Amino acid sequence: MFLKFKVDIPVVPGKLVRKKRGGHTYIEYEYDRIYDPVKQYTYPKRASIGRVDPDDPSKMTPNENFLKYFPDAEMPEEISRSDRSPYLNIGPYVVLHKVIRDCRLRETLGEYMDDKDAGFVLDLACYSIVTENNAGQYYPDYAYNHPLFTPDMKIYTDSRVSDFLRKMKPEQSVGFLNSWNQSRNKRQRIYISYDSTNKNCQAGDIDLVEYGKAKVDEGLPIFNYSVACDASNREPLFYEVYPGSINDVSQLTCMIDKAHGYGYRSLGFILDRGYFSRKNLSYMEQNGYSFLIMVKGMKEFISDIILENHGKFENSRAKYNDRYDVYGTTVTRYLYEGDQKKRHIHIYYSDGRAYGEKQEIKQKIRRLKEYLDKCVGKECTAFGPEIRKYFYLHFEKDGKTLKLAEENTKDVEKDLSLAGYFAIVSSDNMTAKEAIDIYKSRDASEKLFRSDKSYLGNKSMRVCSEEALSSKIFIQFIALILRSRIYTALKDKCEKMLKKPNYMTVPAALKELEKIVMIRQLDGRYRLDHAVTATQKTILDAFGLNEGNVRHHAKEIGEILQNKMTGD
């Protein structure tokens, strides 16, 4: 992350190297030397600290590493009062202030940092929610025209953002997570929806970042990030960060240990099919935890159970779930050889899903047939397992030239007969309706993950150090808590409305609230520009707020900024 000012290129003889990349000249600082006794050679370890100013070769635009290796360099920290916009967008602040107060986030953060730093953490979290961006160099632009949670609503520079991220201590984030989970209600059964994703980070000197199996943007270095979410209350509980080379299945046991460490005992896990393994199921039961897990309908074991129950429930009104438009039934079986007890396997059928899946199967067979027709008469033996599953391949006497591709109608018809079916396995005894209701509650965590990458700007982490990465992930978890509360409040309000307006999504609602503006008048005082609209009142009502609350906050913001101006 490059900062928004220039500094003199430091004078450290023998330690700086200039390298040209992509039309720019970068300054690299040698911070260590490693001796290789085998090759009897010393390797320099360098980190980029900035980019040379093309107009003045003696100056450069620094990045976060410059702050790390040259901490005594003088840099601006606070932007002056005169640089604040005459137009303040206060609508999102009013809602976020209410959510922060309801969550007691400021008080919990205050247990581990002073009030100024707690306010700055909240400001950075709110910045990523409102602007859908996590780049620290653009934070001053947000602070320029929004009220802030820092004392006196100070506007900090991007260098202060970088310095703050670098200096946050791990015990602060660990302490917050301990307090946050300690305050959760553990007396009732909690179903945790657990999911993971990976994020790009191309900084070369962060040990956590490795090449792994990326879900998107394959080929880039990544780290893995997972969140445990209370499915009932629809809020995140804790997160994990682990190296990019570790797969999700093996990491689940660590998360189970962490849940136990936070004091959760009456617990159930809602998992997607990627976490299905004997080891994981066994480990959850050893800790006394139950589970619900989606399994693929095409798996041989599940396929046999579906075929056994074929035609027994698909049109039964007693088995119909109107909410999800599916039919469901439950059978009990051992899940795998050596299983200690029978599991409850809930089988579902959807007419709409069946139609779509049948079309996909028929299109796939058509594509494979067209490909094989082109291979007839040619030497070609490198056919994949999918082709060999759906087609009998006949070759000429040489064993290499394809003579004929005959469709395996039995396997194609079997897959067509399985279209529209899926299954959920639960360790607890429950009905098919109860199982799908619980499993569908994981939609909240899936939307959380989508919002984390799409609406909080976290697809890539723009940092240059291990400390900054850890701090930014923590701040984004705070943002995730806030955004999930906003999403839940808007969704609950929308469900009570006869019409489903398009402004009740989080991005649309925040954009509408941005129109609530205060302006600075000739006497230097900020005042509300106009009354709250009917649409804005509807959005505010989702959070238990009204126009009176907006006017109260407007008056409070005006007084804080007026006092700061007179104090300056």
Side-chain angles (χ1 to χ4, degrees):
M1 184 183 85
F2 289 98
L3 309 179
K4 285 190 171 182
F5 57 87
K6 295 179 176 59
V7 297
D8 291 330
I9 295 175
V11 179
V12 278
K15 295 288 186 180
L16 298 185
V17 175
R18 298 185 181 223
K19 289 190 176 181
K20 288 190 175 183
R21 295 194 303 272
H24 296 283
T25 301
Y26 294 88
I27 302 293
E28 292 190 356
Y29 171 69
E30 183 183 309
Y31 59 89
D32 198 4
R33 297 180 73 84
I34 305 297
Y35 179 72
D36 187 338
V38 177
K39 295 185 177 181
Q40 297 184 343
Y41 183 82
T42 300
Y43 293 91
K45 296 195 73 174
R46 298 191 181 104
S48 174
I49 60 171
R51 187 169 60 198
V52 175
D53 181 4
D55 298 324
D56 186 350
S58 68
K59 293 187 176 294
M60 70 175 188
T61 303
N63 61 19
E64 291 178 6
N65 279 336
F66 180 79
L67 302 176
K68 178 179 179 180
Y69 297 114
F70 298 89
D72 297 329
E74 291 188 9
M75 281 163 289
E77 181 174 279
E78 185 180 343
I79 295 174
S80 70
R81 156 68 180 76
S82 60
D83 286 330
R84 192 182 296 277
S85 171
Y87 300 91
L88 291 184
N89 309 103
I90 71 166
Y93 172 87
V94 173
V95 167
L96 287 162
H97 187 279
K98 174 70 161 51
V99 174
I100 288 168
R101 188 183 65 189
D102 290 347
C103 295
R104 293 184 55 80
L105 278 178
R106 188 155 199 154
E107 291 82 355
T108 307
L109 287 168
E111 297 176 23
Y112 305 99
M113 58 187 71
D114 60 35
D115 189 57
K116 181 181 71 172
D117 287 349
F120 199 21
V121 167
L122 293 173
D123 280 335
L124 291 171
C126 294
Y127 155 62
S128 69
I129 294 171
V130 175
T131 66
E132 300 180 2
N133 198 334
N134 74 352
Q137 67 262 43
Y138 302 123
Y139 168 76
D141 297 335
Y142 163 82
Y144 175 74
N145 53 21
H146 289 86
L148 303 172
F149 290 96
T150 47
D152 297 328
M153 298 192 179
K154 291 181 179 179
I155 302 178
Y156 290 115
T157 63
D158 53 344
S159 65
R160 167 63 174 148
V161 175
S162 297
D163 200 41
F164 180 73
L165 293 175
R166 185 173 56 84
K167 290 183 178 179
M168 277 188 68
K169 299 176 181 177
E171 52 264 34
Q172 292 175 311
S173 57
V174 171
F176 173 86
L177 289 174
N178 285 334
S179 295
W180 178 251
N181 285 277
Q182 185 179 23
S183 64
R184 303 303 97 187
N185 182 3
K186 299 183 177 70
R187 288 175 293 182
Q188 64 180 13
R189 168 62 65 91
I190 295 176
Y191 275 97
I192 286 185
S193 177
Y194 179 77
D195 211 339
S196 64
T197 186
N198 52 62
K199 298 185 180 184
N200 303 330
C201 186
Q202 299 189 57
D205 55 348
I206 298 180
D207 294 336
L208 194 68
V209 177
E210 300 177 343
Y211 286 94
K213 190 175 181 180
K215 297 172 183 176
V216 293
D217 297 335
E218 295 184 20
L220 295 179
I222 59 171
F223 66 91
N224 290 317
Y225 172 71
S226 60
V227 172
C229 178
D230 182 343
S232 301
N233 297 311
R234 295 173 289 182
E235 64 181 4
L237 298 176
F238 56 88
Y239 66 91
E240 296 179 305
V241 182
Y242 50 101
S245 60
I246 298 177
N247 63 48
D248 299 340
V249 177
S250 60
Q251 181 63 20
L252 182 63
T253 54
C254 296
M255 192 278 298
I256 294 169
D257 290 339
K258 189 167 289 188
H260 197 273
Y262 284 128
Y264 294 104
R265 297 296 181 266
S266 182
L267 201 64
F269 288 98
I270 310 172
L271 305 169
D272 72 10
R273 62 195 66 175
Y275 294 96
F276 187 91
S277 75
R278 296 185 184 187
K279 179 182 177 182
N280 284 342
L281 301 189
S282 175
Y283 198 71
M284 280 186 276
E285 292 198 315
Q286 287 176 27
N287 284 272
Y289 297 150
S290 60
F291 61 82
L292 266 89
I293 188 165
M294 174 74 75
V295 291
K296 291 182 179 180
M298 296 299 186
K299 288 288 186 181
E300 198 65 35
F301 171 73
I302 297 298
S303 299
D304 290 343
I305 295 176
I306 290 173
L307 293 174
E308 285 176 21
N309 289 272
H310 211 283
K312 296 180 180 179
F313 69 97
E314 291 88 337
N315 294 303
S316 171
R317 295 299 295 176
K319 304 286 188 180
Y320 182 64
N321 188 320
D322 183 62
R323 183 177 183 182
Y324 303 110
D325 190 24
V326 296
Y327 296 88
T329 190
T330 302
V331 298
T332 56
R333 297 287 173 85
Y334 291 110
L335 198 55
Y336 51 83
E337 187 177 349
D339 202 357
Q340 298 299 309
K341 67 177 185 178
K342 290 185 177 181
R343 313 296 179 178
H344 304 277
I345 302 168
H346 313 280
I347 307 166
Y348 303 91
Y349 174 76
S350 164
D351 293 314
R353 183 169 178 159
Y355 176 80
E357 291 181 357
K358 284 182 178 180
Q359 294 303 312
E360 288 180 8
I361 292 170
K362 287 186 282 189
Q363 289 173 12
K364 177 170 63 176
I365 299 300
R366 190 179 298 117
R367 287 196 305 270
L368 294 177
K369 184 68 168 64
E370 290 173 354
Y371 170 73
L372 289 170
D373 286 344
K374 294 177 182 178
C375 293
V376 171
K378 299 178 182 178
E379 287 191 8
C380 191
T381 58
F383 295 111
E386 190 171 53
I387 286 179
R388 294 185 179 275
K389 174 185 177 182
Y390 293 117
F391 291 89
Y392 297 116
L393 303 178
H394 304 280
F395 295 91
E396 299 288 358
K397 292 181 179 181
D398 61 4
K400 298 179 181 180
T401 304
L402 183 64
K403 180 180 180 181
L404 175 67
E406 181 185 0
E407 184 180 311
N408 179 357
T409 55
K410 183 179 178 181
D411 278 4
V412 174
E413 288 169 359
K414 181 181 178 180
D415 282 3
L416 288 171
S417 67
L418 292 170
Y421 292 89
F422 61 97
I424 297 172
V425 176
S426 68
S427 57
D428 289 344
N429 184 14
M430 61 181 68
T431 66
K433 182 182 183 304
E434 290 170 336
I436 197 169
D437 282 342
I438 294 173
Y439 188 82
K440 286 293 185 179
S441 66
R442 77 173 266 110
D443 288 350
S445 69
E446 291 177 345
K447 286 183 171 63
L448 273 178
F449 266 75
R450 193 182 310 141
S451 69
D452 181 67
K453 279 192 172 183
S454 303
Y455 301 125
L456 296 178
N458 291 329
K459 182 179 178 181
S460 296
M461 305 299 283
R462 304 166 179 87
V463 292
C464 295
S465 67
E466 201 91 46
E467 299 83 3
L469 177 63
S470 176
S471 300
K472 183 169 278 191
I473 291 170
F474 171 62
I475 290 170
Q476 295 309 309
F477 182 73
I478 301 295
L480 209 57
I481 292 173
L482 293 172
R483 198 181 189 281
S484 68
R485 287 287 184 111
I486 296 172
Y487 169 81
T488 300
L490 291 172
K491 184 178 180 182
D492 290 347
K493 172 69 175 176
C494 196
E495 288 178 352
K496 297 174 183 177
M497 302 172 69
L498 295 176
K499 294 183 178 180
K500 308 299 180 186
N502 57 10
Y503 56 80
M504 293 298 282
T505 65
V506 178
L510 291 175
K511 190 173 292 185
E512 184 63 33
L513 292 173
E514 286 270 270
K515 299 173 185 176
I516 302 177
V517 175
M518 291 181 71
I519 61 172
R520 189 171 65 221
Q521 297 183 296
L522 291 175
D523 60 358
R525 184 179 288 275
Y526 284 90
R527 293 181 177 86
L528 200 62
D529 187 39
H530 53 74
V532 178
T533 67
T535 297
Q536 292 161 355
K537 287 178 181 178
T538 302
I539 296 170
L540 291 169
D541 185 60
F543 303 92
L545 299 168
N546 53 40
E547 186 171 3
N549 298 111
V550 174
R551 294 190 178 279
H552 170 77
H553 278 288
K555 182 179 179 182
E556 190 177 66
I557 293 167
E559 289 175 353
I560 291 173
L561 297 179
Q562 181 70 13
N563 291 337
K564 178 170 173 54
M565 183 179 68
T566 55
D568 289 345

PDB file of all heavy atoms in Angstrom, residues 250-264:
ATOM      1  N   SER A 250      -8.809 -30.657   6.737  1.00  0.00           N
ATOM      2  CA  SER A 250      -7.890 -30.906   7.837  1.00  0.00           C
ATOM      3  C   SER A 250      -7.931 -29.798   8.881  1.00  0.00           C
ATOM      4  O   SER A 250      -7.606 -30.020  10.048  1.00  0.00           O
ATOM      5  CB  SER A 250      -6.460 -31.074   7.303  1.00  0.00           C
ATOM      6  OG  SER A 250      -6.046 -29.907   6.615  1.00  0.00           O
ATOM      7  N   GLN A 251      -8.340 -28.592   8.508  1.00  0.00           N
ATOM      8  CA  GLN A 251      -8.372 -27.477   9.448  1.00  0.00           C
ATOM      9  C   GLN A 251      -9.568 -27.553  10.387  1.00  0.00           C
ATOM     10  O   GLN A 251      -9.557 -26.952  11.462  1.00  0.00           O
ATOM     11  CB  GLN A 251      -8.409 -26.152   8.674  1.00  0.00           C
ATOM     12  CG  GLN A 251      -8.422 -24.896   9.542  1.00  0.00           C
ATOM     13  CD  GLN A 251      -7.167 -24.733  10.387  1.00  0.00           C
ATOM     14  OE1 GLN A 251      -6.130 -25.331  10.088  1.00  0.00           O
ATOM     15  NE2 GLN A 251      -7.253 -23.929  11.441  1.00  0.00           N
ATOM     16  N   LEU A 252     -10.603 -28.307  10.042  1.00  0.00           N
ATOM     17  CA  LEU A 252     -11.827 -28.331  10.840  1.00  0.00           C
ATOM     18  C   LEU A 252     -11.573 -28.781  12.267  1.00  0.00           C
ATOM     19  O   LEU A 252     -12.188 -28.270  13.205  1.00  0.00           O
ATOM     20  CB  LEU A 252     -12.867 -29.239  10.175  1.00  0.00           C
ATOM     21  CG  LEU A 252     -14.220 -29.331  10.884  1.00  0.00           C
ATOM     22  CD1 LEU A 252     -14.916 -27.974  10.903  1.00  0.00           C
ATOM     23  CD2 LEU A 252     -15.116 -30.369  10.230  1.00  0.00           C
ATOM     24  N   THR A 253     -10.674 -29.733  12.468  1.00  0.00           N
ATOM     25  CA  THR A 253     -10.413 -30.220  13.824  1.00  0.00           C
ATOM     26  C   THR A 253      -9.859 -29.108  14.714  1.00  0.00           C
ATOM     27  O   THR A 253     -10.174 -29.043  15.906  1.00  0.00           O
ATOM     28  CB  THR A 253      -9.423 -31.403  13.807  1.00  0.00           C
ATOM     29  OG1 THR A 253      -8.239 -31.010  13.101  1.00  0.00           O
ATOM     30  CG2 THR A 253     -10.041 -32.606  13.129  1.00  0.00           C
ATOM     31  N   CYS A 254      -9.045 -28.224  14.140  1.00  0.00           N
ATOM     32  CA  CYS A 254      -8.517 -27.088  14.908  1.00  0.00           C
ATOM     33  C   CYS A 254      -9.642 -26.143  15.315  1.00  0.00           C
ATOM     34  O   CYS A 254      -9.663 -25.607  16.425  1.00  0.00           O
ATOM     35  CB  CYS A 254      -7.467 -26.333  14.091  1.00  0.00           C
ATOM     36  SG  CYS A 254      -5.992 -27.293  13.707  1.00  0.00           S
ATOM     37  N   MET A 255     -10.600 -25.954  14.405  1.00  0.00           N
ATOM     38  CA  MET A 255     -11.723 -25.084  14.715  1.00  0.00           C
ATOM     39  C   MET A 255     -12.594 -25.681  15.817  1.00  0.00           C
ATOM     40  O   MET A 255     -13.094 -24.975  16.687  1.00  0.00           O
ATOM     41  CB  MET A 255     -12.550 -24.851  13.446  1.00  0.00           C
ATOM     42  CG  MET A 255     -13.579 -23.729  13.555  1.00  0.00           C
ATOM     43  SD  MET A 255     -15.111 -24.210  14.332  1.00  0.00           S
ATOM     44  CE  MET A 255     -15.687 -25.440  13.196  1.00  0.00           C
ATOM     45  N   ILE A 256     -12.750 -27.008  15.817  1.00  0.00           N
ATOM     46  CA  ILE A 256     -13.515 -27.675  16.867  1.00  0.00           C
ATOM     47  C   ILE A 256     -12.839 -27.460  18.219  1.00  0.00           C
ATOM     48  O   ILE A 256     -13.501 -27.176  19.221  1.00  0.00           O
ATOM     49  CB  ILE A 256     -13.660 -29.176  16.542  1.00  0.00           C
ATOM     50  CG1 ILE A 256     -14.517 -29.356  15.283  1.00  0.00           C
ATOM     51  CG2 ILE A 256     -14.275 -29.933  17.715  1.00  0.00           C
ATOM     52  CD1 ILE A 256     -14.509 -30.772  14.738  1.00  0.00           C
ATOM     53  N   ASP A 257     -11.514 -27.577  18.249  1.00  0.00           N
ATOM     54  CA  ASP A 257     -10.771 -27.313  19.496  1.00  0.00           C
ATOM     55  C   ASP A 257     -10.969 -25.873  19.955  1.00  0.00           C
ATOM     56  O   ASP A 257     -11.110 -25.603  21.149  1.00  0.00           O
ATOM     57  CB  ASP A 257      -9.281 -27.581  19.287  1.00  0.00           C
ATOM     58  CG  ASP A 257      -8.975 -29.060  19.126  1.00  0.00           C
ATOM     59  OD1 ASP A 257      -9.796 -29.878  19.565  1.00  0.00           O
ATOM     60  OD2 ASP A 257      -7.911 -29.388  18.554  1.00  0.00           O
ATOM     61  N   LYS A 258     -10.981 -24.955  18.994  1.00  0.00           N
ATOM     62  CA  LYS A 258     -11.151 -23.544  19.343  1.00  0.00           C
ATOM     63  C   LYS A 258     -12.537 -23.286  19.918  1.00  0.00           C
ATOM     64  O   LYS A 258     -12.689 -22.544  20.897  1.00  0.00           O
ATOM     65  CB  LYS A 258     -10.904 -22.676  18.110  1.00  0.00           C
ATOM     66  CG  LYS A 258     -10.844 -21.184  18.403  1.00  0.00           C
ATOM     67  CD  LYS A 258     -10.292 -20.407  17.225  1.00  0.00           C
ATOM     68  CE  LYS A 258      -8.820 -20.637  17.012  1.00  0.00           C
ATOM     69  NZ  LYS A 258      -8.245 -19.748  15.982  1.00  0.00           N
ATOM     70  N   ALA A 259     -13.568 -23.893  19.330  1.00  0.00           N
ATOM     71  CA  ALA A 259     -14.928 -23.742  19.850  1.00  0.00           C
ATOM     72  C   ALA A 259     -15.009 -24.261  21.274  1.00  0.00           C
ATOM     73  O   ALA A 259     -15.658 -23.657  22.148  1.00  0.00           O
ATOM     74  CB  ALA A 259     -15.920 -24.482  18.954  1.00  0.00           C
ATOM     75  N   HIS A 260     -14.343 -25.391  21.537  1.00  0.00           N
ATOM     76  CA  HIS A 260     -14.321 -25.959  22.884  1.00  0.00           C
ATOM     77  C   HIS A 260     -13.611 -25.007  23.843  1.00  0.00           C
ATOM     78  O   HIS A 260     -14.028 -24.831  24.994  1.00  0.00           O
ATOM     79  CB  HIS A 260     -13.630 -27.318  22.860  1.00  0.00           C
ATOM     80  CG  HIS A 260     -13.887 -28.157  24.073  1.00  0.00           C
ATOM     81  ND1 HIS A 260     -13.136 -28.067  25.210  1.00  0.00           N
ATOM     82  CD2 HIS A 260     -14.844 -29.088  24.320  1.00  0.00           C
ATOM     83  CE1 HIS A 260     -13.592 -28.912  26.121  1.00  0.00           C
ATOM     84  NE2 HIS A 260     -14.643 -29.547  25.609  1.00  0.00           N
ATOM     85  N   GLY A 261     -12.531 -24.374  23.366  1.00  0.00           N
ATOM     86  CA  GLY A 261     -11.787 -23.435  24.197  1.00  0.00           C
ATOM     87  C   GLY A 261     -12.581 -22.191  24.552  1.00  0.00           C
ATOM     88  O   GLY A 261     -12.353 -21.579  25.602  1.00  0.00           O
ATOM     89  N   TYR A 262     -13.511 -21.799  23.696  1.00  0.00           N
ATOM     90  CA  TYR A 262     -14.358 -20.642  23.985  1.00  0.00           C
ATOM     91  C   TYR A 262     -15.519 -20.992  24.922  1.00  0.00           C
ATOM     92  O   TYR A 262     -16.317 -20.120  25.261  1.00  0.00           O
ATOM     93  CB  TYR A 262     -14.919 -20.058  22.688  1.00  0.00           C
ATOM     94  CG  TYR A 262     -13.918 -19.245  21.899  1.00  0.00           C
ATOM     95  CD1 TYR A 262     -13.680 -19.508  20.551  1.00  0.00           C
ATOM     96  CD2 TYR A 262     -13.207 -18.211  22.497  1.00  0.00           C
ATOM     97  CE1 TYR A 262     -12.773 -18.764  19.814  1.00  0.00           C
ATOM     98  CE2 TYR A 262     -12.285 -17.467  21.779  1.00  0.00           C
ATOM     99  CZ  TYR A 262     -12.070 -17.752  20.440  1.00  0.00           C
ATOM    100  OH  TYR A 262     -11.161 -17.012  19.717  1.00  0.00           O
ATOM    101  N   GLY A 263     -15.604 -22.262  25.316  1.00  0.00           N
ATOM    102  CA  GLY A 263     -16.617 -22.643  26.296  1.00  0.00           C
ATOM    103  C   GLY A 263     -17.918 -23.136  25.713  1.00  0.00           C
ATOM    104  O   GLY A 263     -18.891 -23.335  26.449  1.00  0.00           O
ATOM    105  N   TYR A 264     -17.969 -23.374  24.401  1.00  0.00           N
ATOM    106  CA  TYR A 264     -19.193 -23.892  23.792  1.00  0.00           C
ATOM    107  C   TYR A 264     -19.267 -25.404  24.034  1.00  0.00           C
ATOM    108  O   TYR A 264     -18.345 -26.133  23.698  1.00  0.00           O
ATOM    109  CB  TYR A 264     -19.220 -23.603  22.288  1.00  0.00           C
ATOM    110  CG  TYR A 264     -19.296 -22.126  21.963  1.00  0.00           C
ATOM    111  CD1 TYR A 264     -18.179 -21.434  21.517  1.00  0.00           C
ATOM    112  CD2 TYR A 264     -20.490 -21.424  22.114  1.00  0.00           C
ATOM    113  CE1 TYR A 264     -18.239 -20.075  21.223  1.00  0.00           C
ATOM    114  CE2 TYR A 264     -20.561 -20.078  21.829  1.00  0.00           C
ATOM    115  CZ  TYR A 264     -19.431 -19.404  21.380  1.00  0.00           C
ATOM    116  OH  TYR A 264     -19.507 -18.062  21.099  1.00  0.00           O
TER     117      TYR A 264
END
